[in-house]
């Protein structure tokens, strides 16, 4: 489906001054086109650009603002392995989307979207925020 045909994506944080986080998002589509944008996430207003980053160190029952969905409550926490390291992740469902965020950083590590028209599953495959121990 148009707009949901991303092969891979990369997010790079280029500046952070609370409550704003400026990121560069690069997406590669199945037709070979690569698109790069720079955007600013605002943790106070809920301008989260597909909930890529939320406030760090939230707990189950805590909420954060999303400009599209309103107040989102963290519904669970569990240990999962991402990029070779076991991490504590938080998760919540909004609409057709379930997101998992690294608790310590607030950065999205996995997402699932299910609609009648398409399904998307994304998982972090590389990071420089933590390193696998040898």
């Amino acid at each position: 489906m148009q707009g949901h045909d991303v092969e891979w994506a990369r997010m790079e944080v280029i500046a952070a001054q609370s409550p704003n986080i400026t990121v560069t998002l690069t997406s590669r589509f199945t037709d070979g086109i690569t698109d790069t944008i720079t955007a600013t996430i605002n943790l106070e207003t809920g301008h989260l650009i597909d909930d890529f980053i939320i406030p760090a160190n939230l707990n189950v029952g805590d909420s954060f603002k999303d400009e599209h969905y309103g107040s989102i409550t963290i519904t669970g926490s569990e240990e999962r392995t991402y990029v070779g390291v076991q991490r504590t992740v938080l998760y919540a469902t909004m609409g057709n989307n379930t997101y998992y965020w690294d608790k310590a950083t607030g950065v999205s590590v996995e997402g699932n979207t299910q609609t009648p028209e398409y399904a998307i599953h994304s998982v972090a495959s590389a990071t420089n925020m933590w390193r696998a121990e040898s």
Side-chain angles (χ1 to χ4, degrees), residues 12-53:
E12 182 178 358
V13 174
I14 56 176
Q17 174 101 23
S18 184
N20 296 310
I21 302 168
T22 303
V23 297
T24 298
L25 301 167
T26 303
S27 301
R28 177 72 180 254
F29 299 90
T30 55
D31 62 5
I33 293 174
T34 301
D35 183 41
T36 300
I37 65 165
T38 299
T40 300
I41 292 167
N42 184 301
L43 299 174
E44 284 182 359
T45 66
H47 182 67
L48 304 178
I49 312 170
D50 289 334
D51 299 287
F52 292 134
I53 301 176

Side-chain angles (χ1 to χ4, degrees), residues 2 10 16 22 27 32 36 39 41 49 68 74 77 89-90 93 107 116 126:
Q2 180 91 19
R10 174 188 169 127
T22 303
S27 301
T36 300
I41 292 167
I49 312 170
H68 301 292
I74 300 296
S77 173
V89 296
L90 306 172
T93 299
V107 173

Side-chain angles (χ1 to χ4, degrees), residues 51-121:
D51 299 287
F52 292 134
I53 301 176
I54 65 170
N57 294 311
L58 295 177
N59 293 299
V60 174
D62 289 346
S63 297
F64 63 92
K65 186 175 183 178
D66 177 290
E67 68 185 349
H68 301 292
Y69 293 100
S71 181
I72 304 301
T73 301
I74 300 296
T75 55
S77 173
E78 61 187 60
E79 298 295 314
R80 287 185 165 209
T81 300
Y82 292 95
V83 195
V85 176
Q86 189 171 20
R87 304 291 293 179
T88 300
V89 296
L90 306 172
Y91 56 89
T93 299
M94 53 202 92
N96 297 321
N97 310 302
T98 300
Y99 294 108
Y100 296 82
W101 299 276
D102 179 67
K103 179 178 179 167
T105 64
V107 173
S108 176
V109 291
E110 186 170 357
N112 287 296
T113 300
Q114 295 286 331
T115 75
E117 295 83 30
Y118 63 89
I120 298 172
H121 181 226

